[in-house]
């Protein structure tokens, strides 16, 4: 059985690289039972999206200047 700590590591790794089907399966099974990790996944995905949005905006502002 994987702990919430293992799952949170896999979830954050999954943002940067493609997980193997076994890892994705592990995460999915765990998320079905664990609200805490489901919320963690939602939050990390939201933060990642917001961060990307922010750097994109910054980049286009820099482009306009030059
Ligand atoms: Zn969990």
């Amino acid at each position: 059985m994987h702990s919430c700590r293992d799952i949170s590591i896999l979830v954050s790794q999954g943002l940067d690289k493609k997980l193997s089907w076994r890892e994705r399966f592990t995460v999915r099974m765990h998320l079905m039972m664990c609200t805490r990790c489901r919320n963690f996944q939602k939050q990390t995905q939201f933060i990642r999206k917001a961060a990307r949005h922010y750097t994109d905006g910054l980049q286009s502002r820099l482009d306009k200047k030059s």
Side-chain angles (χ1 to χ4, degrees), residues 4 30 34 37:
C4 289
H30 185 94
C34 181
C37 288

Side-chain angles (χ1 to χ4, degrees), residues 19-42:
L19 299 176
S20 69
W21 70 265
R22 194 188 286 270
E23 288 169 329
R24 273 179 311 192
F25 183 75
T26 305
V27 170
R28 195 173 300 179
M29 289 315 257
H30 185 94
L31 291 186
M32 276 207 285
M33 312 175 294
C34 181
T35 326
R36 218 149 58 107
C37 288
R38 257 202 313 265
N39 287 335
F40 174 77
Q41 190 196 37
K42 243 187 247 167

